[in-house]
Amino acid sequence: MDKAAMIYDHYKDTFSYITGYRKQRDRIFFFILITLFLLFLQIENPSQFFTLVTQFAKKTYGIQMTLNRALANTLLIFVLLSFTIKYMQLHLLVEKHYTYLHSLEARLQEQSFPISREGSSYLGNYP
């Protein structure tokens, strides 16, 4: 296997990792939106929020429970903070991999193997 083919295989693997990380990041973003919705619902109408949570717990898990407003607010903020930190970790990981992907494209172009899936062709028309 020549050097260009080996770099290209590595390029394809790196791109598949980026795709997986982006899917995880998008899923976490959806969870952040759900958590924000629950937090706003808990702030705007606490009685309805507690009714929904207790009904959900009883219906799904068969648990009869009562919630304290301060505890529920703290838990929601903790969940939101956890999701936000994970989102930022994934975002930085994707950005780091894109930088690496651009360097792989440059190495492939040096080997007379022109490819610019994510590099110069994308950045060339960037507003």
Side-chain angles (χ1 to χ4, degrees), residues 2-3 11 17-18 28 31 33 39-40 48-49 51 63 66 69 71 76 83-84 86 104 108 110 117 121-122 125:
D2 66 346
K3 188 174 181 178
Y11 175 84
Y17 291 143
I18 288 174
I28 294 294
F31 291 148
L33 291 178
L39 189 62
F40 289 141
Q48 185 178 8
F49 172 77
T51 303
I63 300 172
T66 57
R69 181 178 179 169
L71 177 65
L76 283 173
F83 282 144
T84 304
K86 186 63 178 173
L104 286 176
L108 283 170
E110 289 172 3
R117 176 188 301 159
S121 65
Y122 176 74
N125 296 325

Side-chain angles (χ1 to χ4, degrees), residues 26-42:
D26 293 345
R27 192 175 321 121
I28 294 294
F29 181 72
F30 180 70
F31 291 148
I32 288 172
L33 291 178
I34 290 172
T35 307
L36 280 172
F37 172 75
L38 291 174
L39 189 62
F40 289 141
L41 181 64
Q42 192 265 341

Side-chain angles (χ1 to χ4, degrees), residues 39-120:
L39 189 62
F40 289 141
L41 181 64
Q42 192 265 341
I43 290 170
E44 182 65 31
N45 195 348
S47 61
Q48 185 178 8
F49 172 77
F50 292 128
T51 303
L52 286 173
V53 170
T54 54
Q55 286 177 356
F56 177 77
K58 186 175 182 181
K59 190 177 192 180
T60 306
Y61 301 108
I63 300 172
Q64 184 69 24
M65 59 186 271
T66 57
L67 284 177
N68 180 353
R69 181 178 179 169
L71 177 65
N73 196 17
T74 303
L75 286 175
L76 283 173
I77 290 172
F78 177 75
V79 168
L80 179 63
L81 181 63
S82 300
F83 282 144
T84 304
I85 289 171
K86 186 63 178 173
Y87 177 85
M88 288 307 299
Q89 287 174 337
L90 287 168
H91 177 72
L92 292 173
L93 185 64
V94 167
E95 289 300 316
K96 181 179 83 170
H97 274 77
Y98 270 121
T99 303
Y100 181 64
L101 203 65
H102 293 174
S103 71
L104 286 176
E105 286 179 0
R107 288 174 62 188
L108 283 170
Q109 288 179 359
E110 289 172 3
Q111 299 285 327
S112 299
F113 195 85
I115 187 166
S116 61
R117 176 188 301 159
E118 294 294 324
S120 58

